[in-house]
Amino acid sequence: MPIFKNSRRTLILVGCMLLTLSAAAFATDEYIDYIEDQEEQREYDRLLPHINITDEDDFITRADKVRTFVNDNSTHNISAEFYKHWGKPDVIVPKMLSYIQKRTDKKVHLECSSRTEMALNLYEALGYRARAVVIHEYAYDYPSHTFLEVQNPDTKKWHAQDPDFNVYWEIIKTGERASAKDLIRLPQDEYHPCIAGQCDWELENAQGMPIQITRPYFGLASIVDYKTGERPLLVNQARFKMDTPQEIEDGTVQTYCEYRAKNCRQDIVVFGENQS
């Protein structure tokens, strides 16, 4: 009997040690992630003094300045250089600073998701909530485009901002800034994209990219809040057929939720063309 008790005690101790080690490993991973996030944020913080934000600026002015800053000081170019520094703010930020400080005339190469990531981090550094928005077209391989929305702390209204095309959207009837939800929910003749106060679907950004090319993408939006873990999916059933599969790049045929299962695990909010 004493042998049994000792053996049982040993098993319990070993089990506790394994649990403790597992918890310690998890905690270590969490700590490493936290440190990496802090280091990345410090890189983006280096850009804040160059955005020319003043104490007198209201929320909309600040939000627009961040979007324009990212667009003005980078270029949309998915090049070999882009892939070398993709996801590396410790490389991207110094390249951008070199351009801002006129040590080079070459802008850093980014694209929609990396411009969005930079703007999102800058908004958060200013104390605002921000979340990524990925919109998909109902077409072969579900092509996508990424921008973000930032929350007005006074009204709690989300404002969509696209640092890649350097646009925001305006609801025509009210003149209010549109959220991602508005862009999916409303008929597309009820809102339009704007650059520096000019609003029209026929506008082009500084690189000559026509904003019109994004219009077919506003049938579905996956919203990703990295702080809270929330991933709501917004769908306009008149512009995006959730249950009808499309062919994808590997030759298979899949519905959107088969194609992007992680985007369909939380709330799916469905709108019709005229639903409000």
Side-chain angles (χ1 to χ4, degrees):
M1 185 66 71
I3 296 175
F4 173 78
K5 285 185 176 178
N6 288 339
S7 299
R8 184 180 178 189
R9 184 181 179 185
T10 301
L11 288 172
I12 292 172
L13 288 173
V14 170
C16 290
M17 288 175 63
L18 290 173
L19 288 172
T20 302
L21 289 172
S22 297
F26 177 77
T28 301
D29 289 343
E30 290 286 293
Y31 181 71
I32 290 171
D33 289 343
Y34 170 78
I35 293 299
E36 289 176 349
D37 288 345
Q38 292 294 102
E39 290 175 351
E40 288 186 6
Q41 189 60 60
R42 279 194 290 272
E43 286 295 332
Y44 291 118
D45 288 350
R46 295 171 62 194
L47 297 172
L48 289 177
H50 302 279
I51 304 179
N52 194 31
I53 289 175
T54 69
D55 292 338
E56 289 74 31
D57 290 338
D58 61 14
F59 167 76
I60 288 179
T61 301
R62 291 180 175 214
D64 288 349
K65 281 185 175 181
V66 169
R67 182 197 73 244
T68 302
F69 171 83
V70 173
N71 186 272
D72 284 350
N73 295 292
S74 62
T75 187
H76 184 110
N77 193 338
I78 307 175
S79 62
E81 177 187 329
F82 163 76
Y83 284 111
K84 287 180 180 178
H85 62 232
W86 185 27
K88 300 176 181 177
D90 59 323
V91 180
I92 293 171
V93 170
K95 285 185 176 183
M96 182 174 279
L97 285 172
S98 291
Y99 176 78
I100 292 169
Q101 295 166 350
K102 301 187 185 306
R103 288 181 279 115
T104 180
D105 59 359
K106 185 178 180 181
K107 294 183 179 182
V108 63
H109 293 184
L110 300 176
E111 40 69 82
C112 62
S113 65
S114 48
R115 277 172 154 174
T116 291
E117 180 182 7
M118 176 174 287
L120 191 151
N121 279 277
L122 292 174
Y123 285 130
E124 290 185 343
L126 291 169
Y128 299 120
R129 284 191 65 197
R131 55 192 189 183
V133 179
V134 184
I135 54 176
H136 287 267
E137 181 182 1
Y138 181 73
Y140 169 79
D141 206 40
Y142 298 107
S144 65
H145 175 60
T146 303
F147 57 93
L148 76 157
E149 55 183 6
V150 56
Q151 189 180 52
N152 185 324
D154 298 319
T155 65
K156 305 305 179 185
K157 167 83 173 177
W158 291 97
H159 292 215
Q161 297 274 4
D162 187 338
D164 196 37
F165 281 86
N166 196 22
V167 303
Y168 61 91
W169 290 266
E170 186 179 83
I171 299 173
I172 296 170
K173 187 176 181 179
T174 64
E176 294 179 313
R177 295 292 182 97
S179 65
K181 180 180 178 180
D182 294 326
L183 300 176
I184 301 301
R185 175 179 63 88
L186 295 173
Q188 289 190 296
D189 61 359
E190 293 189 12
Y191 60 83
H192 49 201
C194 304
I195 299 177
Q198 290 187 304
C199 302
D200 198 299
W201 280 104
E202 302 301 323
L203 291 173
E204 296 181 349
N205 70 0
Q207 283 184 258
M209 297 169 64
I211 301 167
Q212 183 75 26
I213 66 174
T214 67
R215 194 165 185 166
Y217 291 69
F218 291 99
L220 177 147
S222 173
I223 298 176
V224 184
D225 191 323
Y226 296 108
K227 294 294 185 183
T228 66
E230 297 173 336
R231 297 181 75 104
L233 190 71
L234 311 179
V235 185
N236 187 313
Q237 59 187 352
R239 301 198 286 260
F240 199 100
K241 300 175 182 178
M242 284 286 288
D243 299 324
T244 304
Q246 279 281 354
E247 183 180 356
I248 60 174
E249 192 174 17
D250 66 5
T252 62
V253 177
Q254 296 182 347
T255 64
Y256 176 79
C257 283
E258 290 170 338
Y259 176 70
R260 284 287 182 266
K262 66 181 180 180
N263 293 342
C264 300
R265 292 172 184 163
Q266 296 187 21
D267 293 342
I268 300 178
V269 183
V270 179
F271 303 102
E273 183 68 28
N274 299 312
Q275 189 171 347
S276 60

